[in-house]
């Protein structure tokens, strides 16, 4: 029923009409495709001109080069989702991943997104929307995987929802 509602609102027309982008529930989806779907679901349109211009020095992702007239389709979506007032996505931040010259992380837009990454982004969207309390995701044990608090929260969001808010489902997956 949720997908039917989104279809009726015109939010997934392009996905359903594009035979090259037919996806099943368990099909792999790239990080760039996921960002596009997420922004559409949240009714977020990449800002003009901000999302369509090069990153400032020291910002962005080293594998998303801006070249006038030749930016990839996903550039404005990823840039919008990564802007400081959204912080819905980030790159791979491990030291081995960062560009040695710029110190910037890669985004790897054409890599498939993992369920852990998906969970992290969805929870960040819920935090951005003011539905759940983001302060409860502070990492206190560096020996644990980065995604553990997000996966645990996705199983039962009850402890993370603001006291006066109500949600329909208490889980993500």
């Amino acid at each position: 029923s949720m997908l039917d509602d989104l279809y009726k609102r015109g939010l997934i027309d392009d996905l359903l009409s594009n035979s090259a982008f037919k996806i099943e529930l368990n099909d792999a989806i790239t990080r760039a495709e996921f960002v596009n779907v997420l922004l559409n679901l949240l009714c977020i349109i990449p800002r003009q001109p901000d999302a369509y211009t090069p990153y400032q020095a020291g910002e962005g992702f080293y594998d998303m080069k801006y070249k006038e007239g030749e930016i990839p389709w996903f550039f404005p979506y990823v840039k919008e989702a990564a802007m400081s007032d959204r912080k819905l996505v980030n790159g791979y931040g491990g030291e081995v991943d960062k560009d040695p010259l710029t110190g910037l992380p890669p985004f790897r837009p054409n890599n498939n997104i993992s369920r852990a990454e998906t969970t992290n982004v969805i929870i960040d969207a819920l935090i951005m929307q003011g539905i759940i309390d983001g302060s409860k995701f502070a990492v206190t044990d560096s020996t644990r995987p980065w995604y553990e608090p997000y996966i645990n929260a996705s199983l039962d969001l009850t402890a993370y929802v603001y006291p006066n808010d109500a949600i329909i489902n208490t889980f993500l997956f």
Side-chain angles (χ1 to χ4, degrees), residues 74-102:
F74 53 79
F75 185 91
Y77 297 94
V78 173
K79 187 173 180 191
E80 179 69 36
M83 287 184 183
S84 62
D85 61 336
R86 301 233 189 267
K87 294 183 183 175
L88 293 172
V89 299
N90 50 53
Y92 291 92
E95 284 303 314
V96 297
D97 298 312
K98 292 184 181 176
D99 181 50
L101 297 175
T102 64

Side-chain angles (χ1 to χ4, degrees), residues 27-47:
D27 282 354
I29 183 171
T30 68
R31 292 166 54 88
E33 291 166 338
F34 180 76
V35 169
N36 183 22
V37 170
L38 178 72
L39 292 185
N40 280 315
L41 290 173
L42 295 172
C43 299
I44 297 172
I45 299 169
R47 289 171 258 197

Side-chain angles (χ1 to χ4, degrees), residues 8 12-13 16 21 27 30 32 49-50 52 60 70 74 78 100 106-107 110 114 118 120 123 127 130 145 154 159 168:
K8 287 177 184 173
I12 59 173
D13 279 347
L16 295 176
F21 196 69
D27 282 354
T30 68
D50 301 40
Y52 294 85
E70 297 180 26
F74 53 79
V78 173
F107 183 73
N110 296 315
S114 70
T118 302
N120 178 224
I123 286 176
I127 292 168
S154 74
I168 295 170

Side-chain angles (χ1 to χ4, degrees), residues 48-143:
Q48 292 273 2
D50 301 40
Y52 294 85
T53 57
Y55 284 103
Q56 299 294 318
E59 292 181 347
F61 309 103
Y62 76 78
D63 59 345
M64 287 185 45
K65 303 291 184 204
Y66 180 92
K67 186 174 180 184
E68 189 67 43
E70 297 180 26
I71 62 171
W73 69 266
F74 53 79
F75 185 91
Y77 297 94
V78 173
K79 187 173 180 191
E80 179 69 36
M83 287 184 183
S84 62
D85 61 336
R86 301 233 189 267
K87 294 183 183 175
L88 293 172
V89 299
N90 50 53
Y92 291 92
E95 284 303 314
V96 297
D97 298 312
K98 292 184 181 176
D99 181 50
L101 297 175
T102 64
L104 293 174
F107 183 73
R108 298 186 181 129
N110 296 315
N111 281 11
N112 290 338
I113 191 166
S114 70
R115 288 189 184 217
E117 292 168 324
T118 302
T119 302
N120 178 224
V121 174
I122 291 170
I123 286 176
D124 286 348
L126 292 171
I127 292 168
M128 183 189 80
Q129 295 290 320
I131 296 169
I132 63 175
D133 183 356
S135 69
K136 296 185 177 186
F137 289 91
V139 177
T140 56
D141 184 354
S142 63
T143 64

